[in-house]
């Protein structure tokens, strides 16, 4: 079986190393036939955008080797779908100088260092085209200007604000300068590829220098995409569509493809057919339903799409260990900060909506694509829009009311649901830590079942109904509350009698009774008393109390506790030892 390329983003490597590759080369044809002068693709993180730009570069670029000889890249497309494209498309192969710039590395804590990182990326692209100032094709002044832009200003001179502004000014037009030089040198217009354009803006928003970064990115884009006669076409990728007024001012030839307004459905992510073929190629046909439940659910245009990062991780993991369970692979590579912020700041209405979503339901929200990071927390509608366009929600249906469009949305799949649930758990645990537990401790030590139930139910009512029938959550939640009971040590699932009681509080003073809690859950409120009876029966049949006494303790008191959604009841086993 072919190697599965985890983390590879260079198209040539997939071919040179004979790795498993799902053919997305028809994007080349579609860019020419359906794209604009500038085409913006917005898709969730890790949906193949960087690999797509690498594919475009490999196809279009007029590339030279170290000796200055043209490089024939046609071998990289042998047997690929693009070779069935019309001749006018194939004739474009290897015909254009290309500028490719990634903005994804600009994650620094302040504007100056983030700008310097972007400047270094631009300088790297200048040096890739260093032949421009080593051969006598351009004028001496042009060559000197290009050579100067390939060297960053350094040292104390950048500590002065004026010099810093001069440096920003130099590089805000540097891509246009480079493209003009490439056009003059080759006699052909330039293709510009810009990757993850919004990542510096997202970072700047959270780090507090958003306006400064917007100013630089706007100037950079205006010069190379709007007022650039040397431009043949450009492709820009990102996660979120930033409003034209913020970044793409006056860019009237911009064609936008998002998860809502598509036209390039198959270009990013894996289709049902592609996913099934990959699983069958690796002998995993029986896992197709599992993969669909965990990683399907995205709707790009009208086409169901799988998360590609998660699928390749899933297939590779199972290829190594056939007993491997699915995991939230995409969730583990994203910051998920927007989900965390939403949950921690949610009002009562948003908590109700999260309740509905976590339980598999839907909500309806007005959709609009032009948004800025500054707008995200201005309204709940903006927040839900952000979640939709960044892959945390999916469209179920839509309707139009006047000029407004409303989408019915839901959580796409099990993997994304796990992100919400994990963030809710973290939030809930933080809430628990902030509560005064002395009331609970007093109720436990006095055997006050109503007091225990009242305290725990009060905490649950502050939460979100995420964990229906999830006994492991309730067990862990209640155990965490009992850490700190004065003069007692809490233990979980420790052998006693003929089994393992859920929770035992062991006293430091052997004259004090040990305390057993057996945890049960029910889906319906009218079944909760039955849950207590089941707990009592288990304590007796498994001889939990006798097991604790065998450890040398002089007494034991046992409780059953049953949870249902945001409620609990507590009962004390009659008798005791």
């Amino acid at each position: 079986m072919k190697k599965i390329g985890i983390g590879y983003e260079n198209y040539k490597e997939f071919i040179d190393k004979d790795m498993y590759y799902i053919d997305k080369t028809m994007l080349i044809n579609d860019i020419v036939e359906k794209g604009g002068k500038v085409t913006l693709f917005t898709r969730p993180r890790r949906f193949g955008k960087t690999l797509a730009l690498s594919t475009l570069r490999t196809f279009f670029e007029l590339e030279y080797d170290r000796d200055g000889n043209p490089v024939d890249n046609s071998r990289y497309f042998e047997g690929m779908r693009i070779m069935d494209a019309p001749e006018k498309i194939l004739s474009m192969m290897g015909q254009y100088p290309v500028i490719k710039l990634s903005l994804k590395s600009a994650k620094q804590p302040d504007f100056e260092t983030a700008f310097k990182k972007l400047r270094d990326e631009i300088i790297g692209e200048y040096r890739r085209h260093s032949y421009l100032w080593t051969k006598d094709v351009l004028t001496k002044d042009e060559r000197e200007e290009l050579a100067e832009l390939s060297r960053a200003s350094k040292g104390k001179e950048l500590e002065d604000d004026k010099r810093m502004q001069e440096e920003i000014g130099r590089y805000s037009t540097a891509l246009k300068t480079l493209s003009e030089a490439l056009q003059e040198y080759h006699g052909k217009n330039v293709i510009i590829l810009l990757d993850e354009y919004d990542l510096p803006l997202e970072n700047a928003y959270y780090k507090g220098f958003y306006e400064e970064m917007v100013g630089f990115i706007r100037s950079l884009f205006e010069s190379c995409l709007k007022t650039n006669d040397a431009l043949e076409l450009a492709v820009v990728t990102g996660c979120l569509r930033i409003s034209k007024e913020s970044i793409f001012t006056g860019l009237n030839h911009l064609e936008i493809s998002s998860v809502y307004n598509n036209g390039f459905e198959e270009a990013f992510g894996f289709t049902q057919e592609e996913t099934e073929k990959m699983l069958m190629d690796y002998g995993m046909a029986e896992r197709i339903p599992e993969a669909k439940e965990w990683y399907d659910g995205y709707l790009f245009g009208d086409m169901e799409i799988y998360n590609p990062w998660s699928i390749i991780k899933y297939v590779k993991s199972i290829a190594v260990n056939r007993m491997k369970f699915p995991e939230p692979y995409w969730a583990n590579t994203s910051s998920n900060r927007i989900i965390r912020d939403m949950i921690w700041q949610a009002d009562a209405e948003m908590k109700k909506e999260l309740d509905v979503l976590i339980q598999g339901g839907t909500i309806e929200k007005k959709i609009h694509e032009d948004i800025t990071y500054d707008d995200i927390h201005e309204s709940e509608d903006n927040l839900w829009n952000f979640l939709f366009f960044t892959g945390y929600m999916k469209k179920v249906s839509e309707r139009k009311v006047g000029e407004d469009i409303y989408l019915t949305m839901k959580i796409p799949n099990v993997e994304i649901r796990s992100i919400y649930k994990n963030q809710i758990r973290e939030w809930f645990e933080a809430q628990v830590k902030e509560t005064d537990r002395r009331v609970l401790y007093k109720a436990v030590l006095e055997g006050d079942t109503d007091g225990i139930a009242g305290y725990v139910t009060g905490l649950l009512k502050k939460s979100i109904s995420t964990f229906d029938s999830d006994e492991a959550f309730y067990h862990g939640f209640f155990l965490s509350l009992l850490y700190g009971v004065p003069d007692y040590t809490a233990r979980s699932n420790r052998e006693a009698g003929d089994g393992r009681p859920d929770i035992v509080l062991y006293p430091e003073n052997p004259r004090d009774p040990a305390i057993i809690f057996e945890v049960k859950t029910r889906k319906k409120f009218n079944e909760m008393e039955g849950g207590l009876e089941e707990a009592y029966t288990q304590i007796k049949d498994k001889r939990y109390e006798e097991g604790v006494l065998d450890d040398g303790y002089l007494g034991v008191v046992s409780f059953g506790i049953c949870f249902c959604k945001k409620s609990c009841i507590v009962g004390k086993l009659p008798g005791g030892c």
Side-chain angles (χ1 to χ4, degrees):
M1 293 184 291
K2 290 189 175 184
K3 176 180 177 179
I4 297 175
I6 301 293
Y8 288 88
E9 296 178 322
N10 187 318
Y11 174 74
K12 287 184 177 182
E13 283 192 281
F14 278 89
I15 309 305
D16 288 337
K17 297 181 180 180
D18 195 27
M19 292 188 289
Y20 193 92
Y21 174 71
I22 291 180
D23 189 348
K24 297 291 183 179
T25 58
M26 281 305 289
L27 174 63
I28 298 163
N29 177 84
D30 293 343
I31 285 290
V32 177
E33 298 289 3
K34 298 191 292 186
K37 183 83 168 182
V38 179
T39 305
L40 169 64
F41 290 106
T42 60
R43 297 292 189 277
R45 303 284 182 222
R46 294 189 178 274
F47 263 70
K49 299 186 294 294
T50 301
L51 177 58
L53 292 192
S54 176
T55 307
L56 295 176
R57 174 185 162 187
T58 303
F59 183 87
F60 287 115
E61 186 164 36
L62 176 59
E63 188 178 353
Y64 295 92
D65 62 22
R66 292 182 178 180
D67 297 324
N69 300 311
V71 175
D72 181 6
N73 283 325
S74 61
R75 68 183 182 86
Y76 289 103
F77 298 96
E78 292 176 0
M80 297 297 175
R81 293 171 61 197
I82 188 59
M83 299 310 292
D84 295 326
E87 180 58 33
K88 72 170 186 176
I89 302 296
L90 297 180
S91 67
M92 301 171 74
M93 187 186 301
Q95 296 300 306
Y96 299 91
V98 172
I99 296 172
K100 184 176 183 295
L101 186 72
S102 172
L103 284 70
K104 66 174 64 176
S105 60
K107 300 178 182 178
Q108 287 66 41
D110 57 77
F111 174 69
E112 182 175 331
T113 53
F115 160 73
K116 288 178 180 178
K117 187 63 180 177
L118 292 175
R119 179 197 62 184
D120 291 346
E121 293 289 335
I122 294 172
I123 288 171
E125 193 63 4
Y126 263 73
R127 291 175 178 170
R128 194 170 73 85
H129 295 285
S130 60
Y131 60 86
L132 290 172
W133 59 87
T134 59
K135 297 182 179 180
D136 296 334
V137 176
L138 306 178
T139 68
K140 180 180 178 182
D141 288 345
E142 288 171 333
R143 296 200 307 272
E144 288 178 353
E145 179 185 12
L146 294 171
E148 180 63 26
L149 283 167
S150 72
R151 298 187 294 269
S153 299
K154 298 179 180 180
K156 294 183 179 180
E157 58 190 20
L158 285 186
E159 296 177 5
D160 180 84
D161 286 343
K162 181 179 179 181
R163 292 304 302 273
M164 185 64 188
Q165 291 305 311
E166 290 175 356
E167 190 78 348
I168 292 170
R170 289 176 70 207
Y171 286 95
S172 64
T173 58
L175 292 186
K176 181 181 181 181
T177 301
L178 180 59
S179 61
E180 290 173 339
L182 286 167
Q183 181 201 47
E184 184 177 350
Y185 186 97
H186 295 288
K188 295 186 177 182
N189 282 352
V190 177
I191 291 176
I192 296 179
L193 308 173
L194 303 174
D195 195 22
E196 300 286 11
Y197 86 98
D198 60 328
L199 201 149
L201 303 175
E202 179 185 21
N203 174 71
Y205 170 72
Y206 284 115
K207 298 295 174 60
F209 54 94
Y210 183 73
E211 291 302 323
E212 292 174 287
M213 184 57 73
V214 164
F216 175 69
I217 299 294
R218 182 193 298 121
S219 298
L220 184 72
F221 281 21
E222 282 186 353
S223 67
C224 72
L225 302 180
K226 177 186 174 185
T227 60
N228 187 0
D229 292 334
L231 180 66
E232 178 69 19
L233 63 86
V235 179
V236 184
T237 71
C239 189
L240 185 68
R241 172 177 167 178
I242 305 299
S243 67
K244 285 187 178 183
E245 292 71 24
S246 176
I247 295 296
F248 300 106
T249 307
L251 204 61
N252 297 322
H253 52 260
L254 179 68
E255 180 76 20
I256 299 173
S257 170
S258 71
V259 298
Y260 174 65
N261 179 23
N262 200 294
F264 295 80
E265 287 84 359
E266 298 184 31
F268 302 91
F270 296 163
T271 65
Q272 180 72 33
E273 182 181 0
E274 290 166 342
T275 303
E276 289 184 4
K277 183 179 185 305
M278 185 176 188
L279 287 164
M280 289 188 288
D281 286 345
Y282 286 86
M284 303 173 189
E286 77 284 356
R287 314 266 319 228
I288 289 174
E290 180 180 74
K292 185 174 182 63
E293 180 184 18
W294 269 79
Y295 309 116
D296 187 16
Y298 296 95
L299 197 65
F300 293 176
D302 294 319
M303 182 172 288
E304 286 280 342
I305 295 293
Y306 284 72
N307 183 322
W309 172 259
S310 296
I311 286 295
I312 61 175
K313 289 282 288 184
Y314 173 73
V315 173
K316 185 165 186 176
S317 296
I318 296 172
V320 174
N321 178 7
R322 291 285 169 164
M323 302 302 293
K324 184 79 173 179
F325 293 110
E327 295 179 14
Y329 300 107
W330 187 72
N332 295 335
T333 62
S334 301
S335 70
N336 303 314
R337 178 166 181 171
I338 188 66
I339 301 294
R340 181 185 184 278
D341 289 351
M342 177 182 69
I343 291 167
W344 283 63
Q345 299 169 20
D347 58 17
E349 182 61 28
M350 185 169 280
K351 285 182 180 178
K352 289 180 182 178
E353 291 177 317
L354 284 167
D355 276 348
V356 171
L357 291 168
I358 292 294
Q359 294 174 43
T362 63
I363 61 173
E364 185 181 67
K365 295 294 175 182
K366 185 168 72 173
I367 198 73
H368 57 90
E369 295 194 67
D370 282 338
I371 192 171
T372 69
Y373 281 96
D374 269 351
D375 294 334
I376 291 172
H377 295 289
E378 290 297 315
S379 71
E380 286 189 9
D381 276 353
N382 286 346
L383 184 55
W384 289 115
N385 270 267
F386 182 92
L387 293 171
F388 170 68
F389 284 107
T390 53
Y392 292 99
M393 300 292 292
K394 69 164 283 187
K395 181 183 81 170
V396 176
S397 62
E398 63 182 285
R399 64 187 180 96
K400 190 171 184 180
V401 181
E403 297 299 316
D404 296 327
I405 295 176
Y406 290 82
L407 293 189
T408 298
M409 298 186 287
K410 66 184 295 185
I411 295 173
N413 50 45
V414 173
E415 178 179 39
I416 303 303
R417 185 176 293 112
S418 73
I419 299 176
Y420 286 91
K421 294 180 79 168
N422 288 337
Q423 293 298 326
I424 290 169
R425 278 192 174 99
E426 289 182 14
W427 169 82
F428 187 60
E429 289 168 1
Q431 299 298 303
V432 169
K433 289 179 181 178
E434 293 176 0
T435 60
D436 183 353
R437 297 187 220 173
R438 287 176 294 182
V439 174
L440 174 65
Y441 298 159
K442 183 174 184 293
V444 169
L445 295 175
E446 293 179 357
D448 179 3
T449 55
D450 289 339
I452 298 170
Y455 179 91
V456 174
T457 298
L459 276 181
L460 289 172
K461 288 187 181 300
K462 297 179 182 179
S463 184
I464 298 166
S465 300
T466 309
F467 312 105
D468 293 3
S469 302
D470 188 347
E471 189 169 306
F473 163 73
Y474 289 119
H475 182 156
F477 157 62
F478 189 58
L479 176 64
S480 69
L481 292 178
L482 296 177
Y483 288 129
V485 173
D487 303 319
Y488 277 83
T489 300
R491 293 285 185 269
S492 175
N493 291 319
R494 183 177 179 184
E495 285 190 15
D498 298 328
R500 295 175 181 272
D502 285 330
I503 300 170
V504 180
L505 294 176
Y506 292 98
E508 294 179 6
N509 184 345
R511 295 184 178 277
D512 293 330
I515 304 172
I516 294 174
F517 282 97
E518 189 62 28
V519 179
K520 299 298 175 186
T521 61
R522 291 294 185 269
K523 291 184 178 181
K524 298 180 180 179
F525 295 114
N526 61 6
E527 297 174 349
M528 293 177 73
E529 290 291 344
L532 288 187
E533 291 299 326
E534 182 185 348
Y536 299 155
T537 299
Q538 185 169 331
I539 291 169
K540 290 184 287 188
D541 290 351
K542 297 291 186 179
R543 300 176 55 253
Y544 290 158
E545 292 185 336
E546 289 88 336
V548 170
L549 293 175
D550 287 345
D551 287 339
Y553 294 96
L554 301 181
V556 61
V557 179
S558 298
F559 295 89
I561 179 168
C562 185
F563 293 91
C564 179
K565 299 181 180 178
K566 296 183 181 181
S567 296
C568 84
I569 58 174
V570 181
K572 183 178 179 182
L573 183 67
C577 301

